[in-house]
Every structure is written in structure tokens, then in C-alpha cells.
Amino acid sequence: MNISDKLLSRGEAAAPAVFHEDEVITYGELRRRTRRTAGALLDRGHTQGDRIGILAENSPFFVVAYLGIIQAGLVAVPLGTDLPAETQLRMAREAGMSRLLVSARCAPRSRLWAEPAGIRLLTEDELEAARISQPQLWPVIEPKRDLAALMFTSGSTGTPKAVMISHRNIECNAEDIIDYLGLRTDDRGMVVLPFHYCFGLSLLHTHLLAGASLVLSQAFKLFPEQVIGELLERDCTGFAGVPSTYQILLRRTRFCQTAFPRLRWLQQAGGKLPNPCIRELIEAFPQLKFFLMYGQTEATARLSFLPPERLRDKLGSLGRGLRSTRLEVLKANGSPVRPGSMEIGEIVAAGDNISPGYWNEPEETARFFRHGKLRTGDLARVDEDGFIFFVERERDFLKPGGNRVSAREIEDIIAELREVMEVAVVGAPHELLGEAIVACVVVRPDGACAGEDIERHCRKRLPAFKVPHQIRLLNSLPHNASGKVQKDRLQSLAGAPWPEIHQPAQAPAATADL
């Protein structure tokens, strides 16, 4: 079955599907608009498997464009609206895109690069004005074989790659997420994450498949405090974010001081939220279910979750695999790590949510997808109860003086300070140590916290060889459009002058990791 049809099958015709500003789109209207968009694309001669781009902010237009492309048997390719034009063009060419559905706001800028590249535009206004015939035959979909979308990775750890997502991938992952969240038709989730990001898009998949509704908010990036009012005014029952989303809510808004009568769950993925922040949230909202989740674009969205009732006794764990996902933690020789030991291995995943691979990249596909299993590149250990604890991405380990140090461990310690809004730890070249530990920290403007305070706290909580060699206080950290910290940018700036650098008087000596 075409996943677009399935996503639209459960909502009652008069029930709200999407709230956006002053507009409310019912399921009946969404089905009509989706079919109209699919017909418009087929009328223009597109055939099954053609890649069709979407360049639009989160809006009813994006939802209709995405569902319409898939319903027509074509492949949706969402692009980030905040990306440079040359990056959008590169992605369009990599995907072999033949047409771009574009919102009114994005049309003038995108026309400058798309049309010279031979990519035809279909704007929001043109789509509304088009006269459309109803196709006599709709494409027949083979769910496991046929692609629904190409989703570009966030690029936080390298050049973005186009991940192939099948109809079955979406169905499997959405059903599993609905199962553990307990999503209902009366749920109303707020979306502040962009739909061109797999986490944001999974919110669309799950809520529609459950017959629930979504509230699209544009306020968070500039006015995070305004989101609190929207959560209350729209009677939202759920909210989802990446680590930076919750750190902003904790440090820049009255989120934890506000009562939300209808709110019943929070979702967090897209990286590890520091443990101190998790404790603050569950202490502020003991009545809410807080779902910590782990995933990758290559897994459609989610791979595991930590049940809310295990947050306190399994703090720091990414949980266990979803209902349809088999997660293993394997050593280099392919054998599983021993539960309850300190052995570390790579997280390997299998299931119907796992992508077939990367578009037109057979070598990268062979590297990360082997024998039907996804090699995540994430290192972890397993406790005696089978819960997986993320250690670090292999490429993110620091090696000062020959030691193997996890940046995340240091970030968690620094985040214990309430004055700290956000922290990222990276490596910088060092003549003696080979690599020095650099902590990039954003502190509350109204808080009295200097580099010396952060250093003192680290010395109390960390062995000497893990104490940062430099502490750099910044006004903000660089984020990509998905809200993830761009550590590659921080590393590239490591040798440049910074607004404030605190260098401990006696940097830790190089020692062997015994």
C-alpha cells in the first residue's frame, strides 16, 4: 500500500490534522489537497520513481506537497530552507531532481539556481491555480522495494548523504513509535523541528498515522518564550525537541515554571541531552512521560527508546530497541559485548525501518549496510538488564596525551552548573599532547559564571587528564538547521582568537590511560 494513503486513512474527515497560524486543515481537506497535488504531478508527465524536491518552511503546503509526491508514486526530496543556494543545488543534482515544489516565500531565491540547472519549479500559487484531471490509474507500489523519500543526513559529522527511505521503512517505524508513545486520535503535538530533518518528519508520519493532529510553530528560533503560550492556547498534549531545544527552554524561558494542564508527553532525540538537564525536566514535570530516544536518518528515524519509568534508575541509557528493531552491540570481531561488563562495541541495527542504503553511493552503502544490518558508528556498552548506554561516536573521541576521552562525559559534568546554557567539547592541535581538550561554553547572561568557576568544577568532578585545557566562553554555539551543534565548525575555529579564553594555570600533564 502507498504509505501516503495509509497516513491519511485513520483521521475522521472533520477532525483537525494540521494547525498553522490561523489555518486549520481537516483530514478531509488534507486528503483532497494531497490527491490534487498528486494529480498535478502526474498531469505534468512525471513517472514512478522520479525525484521531486520540496523547498518550504513547515506549513500546510509542505505537508500537502510531501504527501502528494508520494501518493503519485514519486520520491520526495525535502531540502533545508536555511542552506546556502550552492548546497541546495548540490543536493538537487545528487538526487537527480527533475522538479521542485516550492513555497511562495522560497520561490524567488530558489528560482535563481533551480531553473539554470534545468529543474522545473511548481510554486504554491501555481499549484492552487492548476486545472487537474483525475488519473485513471494510480501507480502500484511495492512497499519494501519502492522509495517514498530521499532524506539527507544532518551533516553534523560530515558531508550530508541522501538516504533512501522506502514506503515500508516509514510504515514500520511510525507504527513502532505510535506503539511506545501511546499516541491517540486526541493527541495534539507541537512541531518546532523542520520537516526536512528525519526527527521532524517522523512527527508528521506518526501523528497522521495515529489520526492525531499537529501544531506547526515558527516561533521557537527567535521567540522561544512564545512557544509556551502556543502550547497552552492550542491545548497541546505533546512536544518534541533535540538537546538544544530543551536547553533553551530550561535556560531562556519560564518553561519549567509553567503548568501545562493538557501536556502529557515530551520526546527528545537528535543527540544526548546532558543528564543534569534530564533531571531538571523530570523534577519540574513529574506527571509527564519523558521519552528519551535514539535514532539515525538511516533508520528512518528511531532505533530505541528509554521507557519514562526507567529514567531515574537508567539515567544515561538510550534504552532498548523498538518492537521491530533488533539492536546489538558488537565488538570488532563480531561477537556481542558481555552484559554488565565494561566492554564497548558498535551499535548494529536490523529491521524493516532500516534504509536500503545511500542514493548512488554503492561504496558508502557497502561500508555501513552489511548483510541487511546498519553499522551505526556509535559505541556503547550494555548493562546487566540489557539496557544500552551510549559511550561516544568513534570519530568524536579525543586523545590528549594518548588518553581516550569521551567529549560527552565532560559535557555532562560542565552542564551540571545551572549557569551553563550549552556546552560542546572538541579537540584542538597541541604540540605536546597531540590534542588538547577545548570546552566551548555558553553561560546565562544574568549568571555569575566565569572560566575559573567551570575549571574548578571540572577539577572536582573529573580526573586531571580529562579537565579541559581551554575553556572558551561564547555568546552562542553554531547549530545546523536541525538544531544540532556543528562541532566541525568549532574545531575549525580552534586556533583562531575567541572572545574569552580561560586557560588553566597548570594544564593537566600527559599521562597514560591505565
Side-chain angles (χ1 to χ4, degrees):
M1 183 179 185
N2 190 312
I3 188 60
S4 178
D5 294 328
K6 192 156 190 175
L7 292 174
L8 293 171
S9 65
R10 295 182 184 172
E12 296 290 337
V18 178
F19 293 85
H20 179 251
E21 297 177 348
D22 297 329
E23 190 175 12
V24 181
I25 310 297
T26 64
Y27 272 94
E29 178 68 7
L30 186 55
R31 285 191 278 265
R32 186 191 69 80
R33 290 194 194 184
T34 296
R35 197 170 184 85
R36 176 184 175 87
T37 301
L41 291 167
L42 294 174
D43 275 357
R44 283 159 175 75
H46 289 291
T47 58
Q48 192 166 353
D50 283 358
R51 276 79 62 205
I52 309 295
I54 309 172
L55 189 59
E57 60 281 5
N58 284 12
S59 61
F61 171 74
F62 183 104
V63 176
V64 169
Y66 177 74
L67 295 173
I69 291 168
I70 296 173
Q71 190 175 85
L74 312 175
V75 181
V77 189
L79 299 179
T81 57
D82 294 337
L83 294 173
E86 57 269 23
T87 303
Q88 293 172 339
L89 176 58
R90 178 182 62 77
M91 290 177 166
R93 283 176 168 161
E94 285 183 12
M97 189 185 297
S98 57
R99 188 179 294 277
L100 182 68
L101 301 191
V102 60
S103 69
R105 185 174 71 84
C106 295
R109 181 169 168 261
S110 61
R111 199 179 299 277
L112 297 176
W113 61 262
E115 291 183 344
I119 299 170
R120 294 160 289 174
L121 264 61
L122 183 57
T123 69
E124 189 172 359
D125 295 337
E126 289 169 341
L127 188 59
E128 284 296 319
R131 295 185 64 183
I132 299 163
S133 62
Q134 289 297 321
Q136 296 298 311
L137 294 174
W138 291 90
V140 177
I141 297 298
E142 205 293 304
K144 287 191 175 183
R145 179 198 65 205
D146 293 331
L147 300 183
L150 292 182
M151 294 296 299
F152 279 91
T153 58
S154 64
S156 59
T157 58
T159 304
K161 296 188 284 286
V163 178
M164 298 185 285
I165 302 296
S166 71
H167 290 251
R168 175 57 186 157
N169 288 156
I170 294 173
E171 178 186 28
C172 174
N173 209 221
E175 287 181 340
D176 282 357
I177 297 170
I178 290 170
D179 177 65
Y180 71 73
L181 286 178
L183 278 183
R184 310 183 306 231
T185 56
D186 62 343
D187 266 311
R188 188 173 292 182
M190 174 170 283
V191 182
V192 299
L193 301 172
F195 283 144
H196 62 78
Y197 169 41
C198 69
F199 188 5
L201 203 56
S202 78
L203 299 173
L204 178 65
H205 296 153
T206 52
H207 282 70
L208 292 184
L209 189 58
S213 55
L214 290 168
V215 176
L216 310 185
S217 173
Q218 308 291 341
F220 187 80
K221 185 178 289 187
L222 296 177
F223 307 105
E225 186 76 36
Q226 187 175 319
V227 169
I228 295 173
E230 291 184 65
L231 283 166
L232 292 167
E233 291 166 14
R234 292 292 194 182
D235 290 328
C236 291
T237 62
F239 180 84
V242 295
S244 64
T245 310
Y246 287 102
Q247 288 170 307
I248 289 170
L249 288 175
L250 285 169
R251 301 290 180 257
R252 296 185 184 177
T253 74
R254 297 174 294 104
F255 185 66
C256 286
Q257 290 75 49
T258 305
F260 298 96
R262 291 291 309 280
L263 204 62
R264 66 184 191 89
W265 53 260
L266 302 173
Q267 296 183 51
Q268 187 268 306
K272 185 182 181 302
L273 183 65
N275 291 344
C277 296
I278 297 171
R279 291 190 189 98
E280 284 185 58
L281 287 165
I282 60 179
E283 288 169 7
F285 302 106
Q287 77 284 7
L288 296 185
K289 290 185 175 181
F290 187 17
F291 292 90
L292 292 177
M293 308 175 299
Y294 163 74
Q296 291 189 345
T297 309
E298 291 87 344
T300 308
R302 299 279 73 79
L303 283 165
S304 72
F305 78 101
L306 179 64
E309 62 272 16
R310 304 306 301 268
L311 268 176
R312 294 185 185 275
D313 69 312
K314 297 296 182 182
L315 187 63
S317 172
L318 54 83
R320 291 183 285 206
L322 305 189
R323 179 181 60 184
S324 303
T325 304
R326 183 185 178 193
L327 281 191
E328 301 174 282
V329 181
L330 305 180
K331 293 184 286 188
N333 62 9
S335 64
V337 301
R338 287 182 295 116
S341 72
M342 295 305 292
E343 292 180 348
I344 294 174
E346 181 183 12
I347 300 174
V348 177
D352 277 0
N353 59 314
I354 302 301
S355 161
Y358 300 114
W359 178 257
N360 281 345
E361 292 198 49
E363 291 183 1
E364 287 293 284
T365 297
R367 180 183 171 195
F368 290 100
F369 298 85
R370 304 177 201 166
H371 311 296
K373 295 182 178 181
L374 169 65
R375 315 288 303 207
T376 67
D378 291 336
L379 302 181
R381 59 181 179 84
V382 180
D383 75 1
E384 61 280 0
D385 298 320
F387 284 83
I388 300 171
F389 284 76
F390 182 88
V391 175
E392 190 65 271
R393 289 191 70 84
E394 177 63 40
R395 69 188 74 185
D396 287 345
F397 269 108
L398 307 178
K399 295 181 180 178
N403 296 295
R404 202 158 183 255
V405 176
S406 168
R408 290 178 184 269
E409 179 187 1
I410 303 171
E411 290 165 357
D412 265 356
I413 294 300
I414 295 175
E416 291 175 349
L417 296 168
R418 290 292 181 105
E419 293 83 6
V420 170
M421 296 176 61
E422 200 169 11
V423 55
V425 171
V426 298
H430 191 279
E431 289 183 5
L432 175 62
L433 301 176
E435 187 172 38
I437 302 171
V438 180
C440 305
V441 187
V442 180
V443 298
R444 293 174 61 170
D446 58 343
C449 184
E452 292 87 350
D453 302 310
I454 297 170
E455 180 205 348
R456 193 177 304 115
H457 180 71
C458 287
R459 288 195 180 280
K460 288 180 182 178
R461 301 279 285 112
L462 290 166
F465 71 89
K466 293 183 180 180
V467 175
H469 300 87
Q470 289 185 1
I471 296 168
R472 301 178 171 184
L473 302 185
L474 305 176
N475 293 325
S476 63
L477 298 183
H479 296 87
N480 62 21
S482 306
K484 294 183 179 180
V485 175
Q486 294 176 299
K487 285 194 172 183
D488 56 339
R489 288 185 58 189
L490 291 175
Q491 287 171 324
S492 68
L493 295 171
W498 289 64
E500 180 177 340
I501 300 178
H502 173 72
Q503 199 146 352
Q506 292 184 339
T511 58
D513 191 2
L514 301 177

